[in-house]
Each structure stands twice: as C-alpha cells, then as structure tokens.
Amino acid sequence: MWRTNYTLGLGANRIAVYIIDTQNDAIINTYIFHLHRQKLGETSPEFAPYAKHQVCQQVQECDLLYLPGQPCGLFDSDYQSWLQLLDVTERLPTCRGLEKSGAWFVPCDNCSRSSSCYWRQSRWISNGCKDRQIPRSKLKECFASKKLLFIGDSTNRGIMHYIMEQINGTLTEWDKTHNIKVYDYLNDGRTSTSFAYYPQFWLPQDKRPGLEKALQQLVKRSVPLHNDSRTVFVIGGVQWLAMHHLNLLRSTLNRVGLSGAKLVIKSHGAGFHQPVNGMRTISVGDFQTLHSLNQDLLNHGRRLGYNIVDTYGITMARYKDFMQGKCACHFHKIVENSNSSTRLFHVDGDINAIYSEMIVNRICDWPS
C-alpha cells in the first residue's frame, strides 16, 4: 500500500491525487479533494469584553516542549479580567527591540478548555513593553521617501506584502517570486520595496549564491539608495539565519557605502515539524537547540546595534496555526477580494500581522 503525508494549513486546502499508468507514463484519472481546516475560534460566539472571562496564557504547546521546565498549554494568568489586561498593556512603554520573549494571552470561559476561548481576541504581549498599530496616516508619513529592501525566504516575503498592503490600504500586485522583485509605486510613488529570495534551497549547496552576493544584487536593483535611515533592510527567515550572517551584513553594507542604513533582523520561526515527503523534519530536541541558537543570535544582533524582532516564541507557541505549505512555516496567505471589480488582494493571517506590525514599529520608531 502506498502512503504519503500532507500538511493541512488553516483555511481551504486543495489536494490533487493523480492515477498514473506507469507503463505508458500517462495520467488516467485525477481526484481533487477540497478540505477546510478551521482556525482557532472560527466558530466562537460574539465576544463580550465586559463579561467575566478567565485571562489565559500560553508560551508553548504540550506536544512540542521546546522550553523544558516551563508550563505548557493554556494556564491561568494573573489578570482578573480581559479589560484589565488591555489597560495594563496600554500603559506599557514602547518596545525598542530589547524585549525578552513574551506570551500569548486569550480570554476564555475556562483555561482548561481551549475550545472555550475567543481566539480572535488573542494577543501576543512582549514582556515589559508594547508594540502599537500605527495609524495609516502616520504610517504613510513614516514610509515616505523610504526604500525597504527585504532579503530572506517566503516568510519574509509575506511580511513585505503585509507592509505593502498597510501602506496602500490594499494589495494590487503580488507574486511568489524566488528571485528579485521591485515594487516602486507604493504610497503615491513615495515608497519602494524590493525583495531578494535567500537562500536558494533548491540549488545544490555548492551552487547557491552566498548572502553577500544576494545582498549586492538586491542593492544594485534598488538604487539610488541613501546612506541613512531612509534605506531599510529587513533580513531573516524560518531557520537559516546565523551569527556569521549578521557579521557579513555589516561588512558588506560598509563596503557598498550603506553603513548608515537601518537594519531590522527577523529571528527564527516555527516550521519543519510535519513528517511530509520530500521535506526535512526536525525533532523536539532540535527545536530546543534552535531556541538556544536563536537567543545567541538575538544577543549578537543587539550588540551590533541591529533592530530585532523575535518571531520564534510567537510562532512556536502557536505552531499548529500554520497556513498552506509543506514546511508548515507560513503564517500568512494571499487571498483575492472577490467583492472588488478589479483584482485586489489581502494578506490573511493574524500571527503574521502581529510580527509584521512589530517590524513596522522598528522601522518607524514612532513616539509613544
């Protein structure tokens, strides 16, 4: 009997099964399966903020203990109500990239029953500080005259598309480029974004362009650039970034005359935990090691003066909430707006939105 494994992301999934005549190398039949995987809280009743709820906290799932010795699953927090949590959070100072981890908080009828929680209200709260959602008018002002250069894998590309949508109010163009792509029409022509896919996993290891070459190619496609905070690099991905990359970034930007550009580092994320054919899978022990490496990466980046966004805890605590993709590492997807007469798109994914907003905060550094 032939068996295989598929990942089922949140939302709609389409699986095609082909029946092949191996002697004649011909497809003789095709079966299409459409499956819908519910999001947490998708069927929850309307949330009443003034009702009595338990405020529950989560830092890791019990079946993926990457933080040994810490609690898993949902547990009761110190907050007496959801409104108290919102009030306390609002009074926190603004995060400046120095926050130390955090946790998910969600209002529930009972912390022992995940199904009783209002997951659409869930929030990631960094320890000791807050990130704000900057109003679009202020966002457009912040991004005016800026060029944003993204280098990384598809998770970084999803952040770029989210920021493009937030600046313009909608997404009119996107693609799953695995090369270099430039968008220079944003914000009434005042903002440009560009993206370089790195690393190119599909090539043999000895044929993959190094980070220095990829960075130089991206710079060449994005000129002219200013040697100040009007030029912003956003760099990172799922699990490839290492400390030597951070050193290489600094030396390369110095060499091309961009030592004054702003650098935002996106740390590691959840993924590669599903046993899917053709994809590498890592163990719980590997995730524990990766957590330690991620902490070293963050500390080294701070020493170099980089702006840091730590996505590891955010995604690991909700690692089951991935969307389509074999690696189970995507927390976003692009959907078309069916109510529009022209082709408009939206970046769906609450978790992607949270860490994308954190990156916006690092770029804009807006006063509290």
Side-chain angles (χ1 to χ4, degrees), residues 5-225:
N5 292 322
Y6 290 90
T7 57
L8 293 179
L10 295 180
N13 293 265
R14 180 182 183 275
I15 298 175
V17 178
Y18 301 97
I19 308 301
I20 299 174
D21 181 348
T22 55
Q23 290 185 339
N24 298 307
D25 195 25
I27 297 175
I28 58 177
N29 211 340
T30 304
Y31 296 91
I32 304 295
F33 296 88
H34 294 276
L35 303 171
H36 182 87
R37 182 171 162 232
Q38 283 188 347
K39 297 179 181 180
L40 283 173
E42 188 172 330
T43 58
S44 297
E46 193 69 25
F47 177 65
Y50 292 95
K52 183 65 175 177
H53 298 103
Q54 280 189 278
V55 180
C56 308
Q57 185 174 345
Q58 181 163 306
V59 295
Q60 63 179 337
E61 290 276 11
C62 292
D63 51 4
L64 189 54
L65 294 172
Y66 79 100
L67 296 170
Q70 292 199 27
C72 68
L74 288 168
F75 57 94
D76 201 1
S77 72
D78 294 331
Y79 295 101
Q80 299 304 307
S81 70
W82 189 246
L83 292 179
Q84 182 195 23
L85 176 139
L86 298 181
D87 179 62
V88 170
T89 303
E90 183 59 30
R91 291 186 277 110
L92 290 173
T94 300
C95 293
R96 301 296 183 189
L98 300 176
E99 65 277 6
K100 299 291 185 181
S101 66
W104 284 97
F105 291 85
V106 58
C108 303
D109 296 335
N110 192 316
C111 292
S112 63
R113 289 188 292 110
S114 176
S115 60
S116 76
C117 298
Y118 298 84
W119 286 99
R120 284 175 290 183
Q121 308 298 321
S122 63
R123 293 191 172 207
W124 172 266
I125 300 178
S126 301
N127 290 341
C129 65
K130 67 176 180 183
D131 283 291
R132 299 139 300 136
Q133 183 154 14
I134 300 173
R136 178 161 290 123
S137 60
K138 298 293 186 182
L139 197 66
K140 293 174 76 68
E141 180 183 340
C142 163
F143 281 99
S145 302
K146 280 187 170 58
K147 288 195 174 182
L148 312 178
L149 290 77
F150 292 79
I151 183 166
D153 56 32
S154 54
T155 60
N156 211 30
R157 189 176 59 210
I159 294 169
M160 179 187 70
H161 286 139
Y162 175 89
I163 292 176
M164 289 169 60
E165 180 181 359
Q166 295 307 303
I167 294 173
N168 269 15
T170 190
L171 193 63
T172 58
E173 179 188 0
W174 72 283
D175 61 40
K176 293 183 178 180
T177 180
H178 286 74
N179 294 297
I180 295 179
K181 179 73 175 182
V182 178
Y183 303 90
D184 54 10
Y185 58 85
L186 302 172
N187 204 4
D188 303 317
R190 299 182 298 166
T191 305
S192 171
T193 66
S194 53
F195 173 80
Y197 198 101
Y198 181 86
Q200 295 179 329
F201 300 104
W202 56 92
L203 295 177
Q205 196 158 0
D206 59 345
K207 302 293 184 183
R208 296 175 190 170
L211 180 62
E212 181 178 9
K213 183 176 180 180
L215 191 60
Q216 289 173 339
Q217 290 174 338
L218 181 61
V219 167
K220 185 177 180 180
R221 287 286 300 274
S222 306
V223 293
L225 296 170

